[in-house]
């Protein structure tokens, strides 16, 4: 039997300790939509988000997981209005770009910025998740560094979550034990490591 707990406690030092999303001033409370490709697809590989949200004391209200297998940056642009904006969420957590790594650097950045503009213009807070390790560590590191720089420059509207570092080695190359044979999709153990590590750590302040 689960014992009920309070939303806050008065500790000996006189400080009020808040629990979960009961703390005042949390910018990421509210409703959520999740987006991305097969790594986040609810019918394929959404373990990190489900496990992480379940681990929070007050799981957020997820309106829909819109991620789809094989989705590219351009496809997300094309479907944003009908799948995300129409739901008017407070927050949009998205991991996208893995299927667009073959794009030129200019194409990748242009399309990613279009997504960010769509999010901001819809009045939604964007939580942009890092691309996961694969067989091309340097390229993914470069893309993630750029995404982080864009988010860091606009903290009122964007947050970068670098939650996949534990799935790769020092060069951000996928650790085989955590992945499928193609080194693309994390296995159950990879999902667990991710959801209980950097992913939960990043959201812990808000949930």
């Amino acid at each position: 039997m689960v014992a009920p707990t309070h939303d806050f406690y008065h500790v000996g030092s006189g400080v009020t300790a808040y629990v979960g999303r009961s703390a005042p001033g949390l910018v990421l409370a509210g409703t959520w939509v999740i987006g991305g490709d097969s790594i986040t697809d609810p019918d394929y590989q959404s373990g990190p988000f489900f496990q992480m949200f379940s681990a929070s004391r007050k799981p957020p209200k997820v309106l829909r997981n819109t991620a789809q297998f094989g989705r590219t940056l351009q496809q997300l642009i094309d479907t944003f209005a009908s799948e995300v904006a129409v739901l008017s969420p407070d927050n949009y957590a998205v991991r996208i770009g893995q299927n667009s790594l073959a794009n030129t650097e200019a194409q990748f950045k242009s399309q990613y910025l279009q997504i960010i503009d769509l999010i901001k213009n819809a009045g939604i807070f964007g939580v942009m998740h890092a691309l996961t390790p694969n067989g091309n560590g340097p390229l993914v590191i470069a893309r993630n560094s750029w995404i982080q720089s864009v988010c860091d420059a606009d903290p009122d509207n964007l947050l970068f979550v670098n939650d996949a570092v534990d799935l790769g080695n020092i060069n951000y190359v996928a650790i085989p034990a955590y992945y499928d044979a193609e080194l693309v999709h994390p296995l159950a153990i990879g999902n667990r490591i991710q959801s209980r590590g950097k992913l939960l750590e990043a959201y812990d302040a808000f949930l």
Side-chain angles (χ1 to χ4, degrees), residues 12 14 28 33 38-39 90 104 108 111 136 139 148 180 188 192 202:
L28 296 189
V33 169
S38 58
I39 295 176
D90 297 303
T104 66
F108 185 97
Q111 292 177 344
N136 192 342
L139 176 61
Q148 181 172 5
D180 60 13
R192 181 171 180 80

Side-chain angles (χ1 to χ4, degrees), residues 139-162:
L139 176 61
V140 180
I141 289 173
R143 295 291 183 267
N144 281 340
S145 295
W146 174 79
I147 295 170
Q148 181 172 5
S149 70
V150 173
C151 294
D152 288 349
D154 192 5
D156 291 336
N157 296 295
L158 301 168
L159 172 70
F160 177 72
V161 179
N162 191 19

Side-chain angles (χ1 to χ4, degrees), residues 19-43:
V19 179
R21 288 190 300 168
S22 59
L26 298 181
V27 298
L28 296 189
T31 56
W32 291 73
V33 169
I34 297 172
D37 49 38
S38 58
I39 295 176
T40 315
D41 188 331
D43 294 324

Side-chain angles (χ1 to χ4, degrees), residues 34-142:
I34 297 172
D37 49 38
S38 58
I39 295 176
T40 315
D41 188 331
D43 294 324
Y44 193 84
Q45 200 77 17
S46 55
F49 281 101
F50 284 153
Q51 292 186 37
M52 182 274 295
F53 283 153
S54 297
S56 65
R57 181 175 181 271
K58 293 184 176 180
K61 183 177 181 180
V62 178
L63 302 177
R64 186 181 178 191
N65 186 336
T66 63
Q68 289 188 13
F69 183 94
R71 178 156 285 183
T72 64
L73 291 170
Q74 185 59 55
Q75 289 170 337
L76 192 146
I77 293 169
D78 295 339
T79 58
F80 183 86
S82 61
E83 292 186 352
V84 181
V86 69
L87 298 174
S88 300
D90 297 303
N91 313 288
Y92 181 46
V94 59
R95 188 192 314 278
I96 191 69
Q98 210 84 24
N99 294 314
S100 298
L101 288 174
N103 291 2
T104 66
E105 180 178 0
Q107 289 173 329
F108 185 97
K109 291 181 177 180
S110 174
Q111 292 177 344
Y112 205 98
L113 288 175
Q114 288 181 61
I115 292 171
I116 286 177
D117 286 343
L118 288 170
I119 294 171
K120 293 167 61 174
N121 291 338
I124 301 169
F125 190 89
V127 182
M128 318 307 290
H129 286 258
L131 303 179
T132 56
N134 59 21
N136 192 342
L139 176 61
V140 180
I141 289 173

